[in-house]
Structure formats: C-alpha cells, structure tokens
Amino acid sequence: MDLGLKDKVALITGAGSQVGFGKGIAMTLAREGCDIVACDKDIEGAKKTAADVKALGRKAVALKMDITKTAEVKKAVDAVLKDFGKIDILINNAGVGTQPKPFVATTEEEWDTNINVNLRGTMIVTKAVLPHMIERKSGKIVNLSSTAGLSGMSTGGVYGAAKAGIVIFTAALAKELDEVGINVNCMAPGLGATNFHRASNFPPEYINKFVKEMAAAGRTTTPEEIGNVAAFLVSDVSKNITGQCIRVSGLM
C-alpha cells in the first residue's frame, strides 16, 4: 500500500536515542520516502539518527532542540523552513519521566519536570510549527502520550497527569484545525523496549523487576511498532482519522 509519504518533510523531537521511539519513527518514515529533521537535546545522538536516514537515501538534518525553550524551538523551526521549505509532519515524541514514588513523596520540582517537558514542551513545538501548516492548509501532527495517561499508574500520578494532558490537548486541537485540513492524533505506548527508564534515572530495582518481567511476558512496545503506527497516522490513507489516541501497548 502506498502511504503517500514520498518527499514529505517530518520533524521529530526526541530523535537522539538510538534505541528510542523517535529513532524508530524516523527510520520508518524515511523508508516510506520522508525526509527527516531529527531534533534532540543530545545533538550527537540526533546526528547519528540523521546519518542512518541518509544511508537510506533520504535527506536528513540534525538540530539541537530543548523543547522547553521557546526561543530555541523557534530558531530550529525557522532553520527547517529555510532549508526544506516546508514541514508536512510533526511528531512530538520528546518526553521525560521521574522516578516512580507515592504522590505524597513527590516534589514540586518533579511536578514541574513532568509538566514542562511532556505537556508544555509538546505545546511549545506545536505552536512554533502550526502557523506554517495553517498557511498551507495541510499537515499531520502526532503527539506521544502514554498508557499511564489513559488509565493511570500507581506511583506515577504526576507523569500520568502530564501525559493525560497531551490526550486532551490532541483532541481539542484536532477539532480546532479540522476545517483547515490538519490532522492531529496521538499514540499511547505501553512499556517501551527503549532506554527511557534508565535515562530518567529510575531505580535499578524497578528496572530489574518490573521492566524485565514485562519484557519476558512479551508486553513491551518496540520503536518499530511505534514507527509503523506513526506512519499510518501521518499518511494519506488515514486522512479521516483525527483527534484520536491510539493505544499501542499489547496486552497492557
């Protein structure tokens, strides 16, 4: 099936981790014919992703982007529009987690981290890209939420609240932009077969017990699986799907 993605330009945040969802999405979209803008705070990781995309014969660029910094995001988006002339696809993948703990033990700093990166960061990048998409009356946006944002997670209330905000932001924005031809959807991955938990400094005992148990049960979500769903959501064949949150979590 032709997804109609050839020569589309996709900007992907959080694309630096070489075992992350962002990299999986970037490689899948590149195989479908997209040119890729790999954005990450880790510019060296983003450069590796861009290099792998180029190896597939597609154009790619790596840009340093801290999604919590409005000026930095705007500078990056302006650079993309100058170099590529357009942004057809926005994947708001970048996110962070804090160590799981009972809510009464959480700090306001942890609240700020989860909300500023996961929710506010998604809004900052979207606001930077949207004027261009609205002017062209065309665009696809996919936000990354989490199953924790749909059904809650014990000792993960703050993270889940931020991710739940993304679900409602997606639905509201989809209604706002439907008449101008822009689709907005989100994905809610389950436990990922990525480096997310280590990068977020989760306790080793949590990783060793919970993550390994879930992996053994075959219930982790791979970057390739996320990439496949993302490709569908940003394709021509899904033009009548908007405002939805797709759970990609196996049995979770």
Side-chain angles (χ1 to χ4, degrees):
M1 180 184 296
D2 183 4
L3 296 179
L5 293 175
K6 185 172 174 55
D7 297 327
K8 296 289 181 69
V9 176
L11 188 156
I12 305 168
T13 67
S17 171
Q18 298 305 291
V19 293
F21 290 153
K23 173 72 178 286
I25 294 169
M27 299 307 292
T28 300
L29 294 185
R31 292 187 186 99
E32 293 294 332
C34 289
D35 296 326
I36 302 296
V37 181
C39 300
D40 206 291
K41 285 176 28 174
D42 173 14
I43 186 60
E44 295 305 317
K47 287 179 179 178
K48 291 178 182 177
T49 297
D52 287 344
V53 168
K54 290 178 181 177
L56 295 175
R58 300 307 310 177
K59 297 177 183 177
V61 64
L63 293 176
K64 188 176 186 302
M65 182 189 287
D66 181 339
I67 64 172
T68 67
K69 297 180 179 179
T70 302
E72 188 170 306
V73 170
K74 186 180 185 305
K75 180 180 178 180
V77 169
D78 287 346
V80 175
L81 293 176
K82 180 180 179 180
D83 292 345
F84 288 88
K86 62 176 184 173
I87 298 173
D88 299 291
I89 296 163
L90 169 61
I91 308 289
N92 282 308
N93 167 73
V96 70
T98 52
Q99 293 187 21
K101 62 178 68 172
F103 176 69
V104 294
T106 61
T107 66
E108 292 189 21
E109 182 181 8
E110 289 169 325
W111 302 359
D112 291 343
T113 296
N114 279 282
I115 293 171
N116 285 342
V117 177
N118 296 315
L119 181 55
R120 189 170 179 272
T122 293
M123 292 179 172
I124 288 173
V125 180
T126 301
K127 189 173 182 180
V129 172
L130 259 184
H132 167 72
M133 288 185 170
I134 292 172
E135 182 179 3
R136 296 178 66 220
K137 296 185 178 181
S138 176
K140 300 274 190 172
I141 299 173
V142 175
N143 301 319
L144 269 286
S145 180
S146 166
T147 53
L150 295 179
S151 55
M153 180 179 69
S154 176
T155 70
V158 179
Y159 173 77
K163 287 295 189 177
I166 291 175
V167 176
I168 299 303
F169 173 63
T170 297
L173 197 61
K175 292 177 181 178
E176 182 178 324
L177 299 173
D178 185 55
E179 292 185 359
V180 293
I182 299 171
N183 289 59
V184 190
N185 290 289
C186 76
M187 293 185 286
L191 181 69
T194 69
N195 198 40
F196 176 82
H197 300 90
R198 290 181 176 82
S200 298
N201 297 314
F202 279 33
E205 61 270 20
Y206 177 93
I207 297 173
N208 292 335
K209 183 178 186 297
F210 182 68
V211 177
K212 286 186 177 181
E213 284 178 1
M214 295 303 295
R219 298 179 184 177
T220 54
T221 303
T222 69
E224 291 75 21
E225 289 166 339
I226 292 297
N228 289 338
V229 177
F232 169 71
L233 289 175
V234 302
S235 71
D236 288 346
V237 300
S238 67
K239 62 182 179 180
N240 204 36
I241 298 175
T242 191
Q244 304 304 305
C245 185
I246 310 299
R247 186 188 291 260
V248 189
S249 59
L251 299 177
M252 293 181 66

